[in-house]
Amino acid sequence: MLSSTLIVGLVLGGTYALLALGLTIQYGVARIMNLAYGELVIAGAFFTMLMVTQAGLNPLVALILALPLGYGFSWLLYTVVLHPLARRSKSQGQLEVDSILVTFGLLFLMQGLYQVNFGGNFQGYQWLQNPVNILGTKIAGGRVIGLVFAVLIGALLYLAMIKTRWGVNMRAVASRPQFAALVGIDMRKEARMAFATGGALAAAGGAILSMYQTFTAVDGTFLTMKALVIVIMGGVGNLIGALLSGIIIGLVEAGVSVAIDPGLTLAATYAIFLVVLLWRPRGLFST
Amino acid sequence: MFDARNISLRYGKHLAVDDVSISVGEGECVVILGANGAGKSSLLRGISRMAPIDPAGRITLRGADLGAVPAHRIVEEGIALVPEGRGVFTEMTVEDNLWLGSNPKRARADNETRRGEILALFPRLAERRKQRVGTMSGGEQQMVAIARALMSNPDLLFLDEPSLGLAPIVVKELFATLTRIKESGVSMLLVEQNVTSSLALADRGYVLEAGRITSEGTARELSSSSVVMEAFLGH
Ligand SMILES: Nc1ncnc2c1ncn2[C@@H]1O[C@H](COP(=O)(O)OP(=O)(O)OP(=O)(O)O)[C@@H](O)[C@H]1O
Ligand SMILES: [Mg+2]
């Protein structure tokens, strides 16, 4: 039972890590606190469900399609709605307040649309339910594949952040936006690209989530909250911190749900969050 | 090669730079001397488009008008700024900072050769490529800032008080390096309060007082000028 908890925890944790990575890039580079982030995750999940049930596609194909769609949607959202906000705000603080208000509204809009179209029930599809045997533990094949893809996308993004000019520029803007122009970085372009990249990760995370669990039209709120907790635990803008914290939260949730009660997972997450806030407000991995 | 005419810059009602005109010739090193608050940094920010100037001002580089070029495109045009306070990315490594310096397209072609030359110029940085810049000494951070600016393959280098806060021995080393950079053909506009060292390096200079240019001349003229000596050395 311990090893099955561990694997379930890793699967959850891998997905959470991916989601937190997207949110931390959006917040760290574009300085947008996106409260509708979880709604884009759910959009990825609905999209995958429709592709599987209506178009008869493999969920993995849907995942590959979700990446550019999430990117494009967020790119447009930034260009049409958020960029004008960023331009008129005189300070970073003001941009944060404005973006929270706007994305809070967007959250309700998107949740409303989901509920009108899909109702409030649990949603999902059947895929690779047959268990595979890992280290003596039986676990649904869909979960394993979900984990593999979450890790793969997370690792690729991390490498890109460290090893490519694209990523180095992104990190530079996240750490010292006021110096970006000195090295020829166009802040506007960079912010839009970061916001869109975060959107791609959100949609991909939703596609992966749908591979192994059901979801509802309103689950986005919890996902945003969890991603936010993980980002703060990891230290805002700290990519490795987000990855590790995501895995920790996944493991804790799986552990609590097996050992105590599934209803307490969210409470456990917030308990950890509170401890981190009190004890290491700048994140578990701050130096 | 570089010409700035009738530059004025204000913070609210306060006129920090008042109708200043300066120029830098091909391969020339020009110094701007001035006391604290004279407007040196403001002038440098204005002519590198990092801060808005009054519309009467004209900035040209080799005849090309820079008036409408956004701040992030200036380095692509060939002007690299090492700002007051260095402007380095302290959370990132030396290597990352140098890489960022080579962002402009004009720097891409012989990036690797240039990097080799720059690391030869700053041997200390070559040893510390993986170190986070924030953990380095002030002098080393200043070297990172200058090395990063050079990575952009600039025609003209703007330096805002590079010797600020450095020990005399480090200042000496810094000016020796700046001399070598000048000899390599890069034009320079230097803001300094270290009168002796900067006049030894520079060909020409301006004296800025309360936002206006009060005297200008060759380095030799300024060195022997009683105005400069009185203003800065209290003689
Ligand atoms: N952001 C700002 N807002 C308001 N006033 C400013 C600002 N920056 C500079 N000033 C004012 O403009 C004047 C010129 O400042 P500036 O920094 O250009 O001087 P400086 O010659 O570089 O001085 P220092 O040698 O101390 O660096 C000063 O009176 C300063 O108080
Ligand atoms: Mg200054």
Side-chain angles (χ1 to χ4, degrees), chain B residues 91-171:
Chain B
E91 280 89 351
M92 302 173 81
T93 63
V94 172
E95 206 158 60
D96 284 342
N97 272 273
L98 295 188
W99 200 7
L100 286 164
S102 67
N103 260 340
K105 288 192 188 63
R106 62 186 285 124
R108 300 285 177 89
D110 32 9
N111 189 2
E112 282 311 311
T113 344
R114 186 167 312 106
R115 176 204 203 69
E117 287 165 10
I118 290 169
L119 288 178
L121 198 60
F122 300 97
R124 193 107 38 100
L125 298 187
E127 296 160 19
R128 312 248 179 136
R129 288 219 290 268
K130 299 279 180 200
Q131 189 171 343
R132 258 185 42 213
V133 173
T135 64
M136 301 178 98
S137 77
E140 287 162 352
Q141 291 193 19
Q142 192 58 259
M143 288 177 195
V144 173
I146 297 171
R148 185 185 72 188
L150 290 175
M151 282 298 288
S152 72
N153 187 23
D155 296 327
L156 176 58
L157 200 54
F158 284 177
L159 296 155
D160 195 342
E161 294 202 54
S163 74
L164 190 71
L166 306 187
I169 176 95
V170 183
V171 172

Side-chain angles (χ1 to χ4, degrees), chain A residues 57-255:
Chain A
L57 285 180
N58 186 303
L60 292 176
V61 176
L63 166 62
I64 303 297
L65 293 175
L67 281 163
L69 285 175
Y71 190 98
F73 174 81
S74 299
W75 194 96
L76 269 182
L77 178 63
Y78 187 86
T79 308
V80 176
V81 181
L82 298 167
H83 176 240
L85 280 189
R87 208 155 73 167
R88 87 160 193 225
S89 67
K90 294 194 174 52
S91 67
Q92 190 188 316
Q94 195 190 344
L95 174 59
E96 276 171 27
V97 172
D98 286 355
S99 67
I100 284 174
L101 292 176
V102 166
T103 57
F104 196 48
L106 188 67
L107 175 168
F108 288 113
L109 181 70
M110 289 172 80
Q111 273 191 8
L113 282 176
Y114 300 156
Q115 275 182 314
V116 166
N117 285 296
F118 300 96
N121 298 330
F122 281 102
Q123 308 284 337
Y125 53 89
Q126 303 277 313
W127 184 60
L128 297 184
Q129 300 283 357
N130 287 344
V132 290
N133 199 326
I134 295 177
L135 303 170
T137 307
K138 286 201 176 2
I139 180 158
R143 270 185 200 268
V144 179
I145 293 185
L147 172 63
V148 168
F149 273 82
V151 168
L152 199 70
I153 295 173
L156 280 179
L157 183 82
Y158 180 73
L159 277 180
M161 280 297 201
I162 299 296
K163 300 273 184 203
T164 68
R165 198 177 276 282
W166 177 84
V168 174
N169 280 344
M170 206 88 102
R171 283 190 291 133
V173 172
S175 72
R176 287 281 186 275
Q178 69 275 33
F179 300 153
L182 293 173
V183 292
I185 296 175
D186 180 354
M187 284 287 289
R188 263 198 250 170
K189 235 173 79 185
E190 206 65 25
R192 190 170 54 211
M193 208 156 66
F195 193 79
T197 303
L201 292 178
I208 290 174
L209 211 61
S210 77
M211 290 177 190
Y212 61 83
Q213 70 179 40
T214 53
F215 54 94
T216 72
V218 295
D219 278 355
T221 318
F222 302 108
L223 291 168
T224 304
M225 291 298 182
K226 271 183 206 168
L228 199 56
V229 165
I230 294 165
V231 165
I232 293 169
M233 267 178 76
V236 173
N238 183 343
L239 299 175
I240 283 285
L243 283 171
L244 293 177
S245 303
I247 296 189
I248 292 174
I249 291 289
L251 287 172
V252 167
E253 283 196 0

Side-chain angles (χ1 to χ4, degrees), chain B residues 11 14 16 35-42 45 84 161 193:
Chain B
Y11 302 106
H14 176 63
N36 292 116
K40 307 181 296 296
S41 299
S42 304
R45 278 200 296 274
E84 192 168 39
E161 294 202 54
Q193 296 204 52

